[in-house]
Amino acid sequence: QVQLVESGGGLVQAGGSLRLSCAASGGTFSSFTITWFRQAPGKEREFVATISGRSGTMLYTDSVKGRFSISRDNTKNTAFLQMNSLKPEDTAVYSCAARNMWSASNPKEYDYWGQGTQVTVSS
């Protein structure tokens, strides 16, 4: 059974930075696609960024390109989301998810989820 645990969320002023971590246990971490989703109050969960297991191919949603960076350390079974130049509209619960196949932006296609971490950006 794969377990994912996010950390690193918090309250930050607009323009600030946060680094989220997604620590995995169980399974073969290097084979998983890891994706970050976020959900703001009253809104649907949305795709943020994804990274493939072996090649490290990355994709981002347009609204975070140039500001967010996804990465992973397969030796530590951990993925990261570096968030810079944060905006109030980035406020949401951020969750990491894993699947054995290459990326999908549809959260319904993911097998494993973390509990989420709150990111709040004040103006």
Side-chain angles (χ1 to χ4, degrees), residues 47-64:
F47 166 83
V48 177
T50 188
I51 186 167
S52 66
R54 302 189 187 279
S55 67
T57 301
M58 298 168 282
L59 294 172
Y60 299 89
T61 192
D62 286 346
S63 63
V64 308

Side-chain angles (χ1 to χ4, degrees), residues 9-16 18 20 37-46 48 63-64 67-68 81 83-95 117-123:
L11 173 64
V12 64
Q13 289 188 333
L18 284 173
L20 306 183
F37 292 89
R38 65 186 179 186
Q39 187 167 21
K43 295 187 177 180
E44 291 187 354
R45 182 174 284 171
E46 69 167 336
V48 177
S63 63
V64 308
R67 301 189 298 122
F68 291 12
L81 185 67
M83 305 186 296
N84 300 326
S85 301
L86 282 161
K87 304 176 181 180
E89 52 263 43
D90 294 319
T91 295
V93 174
Y94 285 69
S95 300
T117 185
Q118 177 70 46
V119 171
T120 303
V121 184
S122 63
S123 57

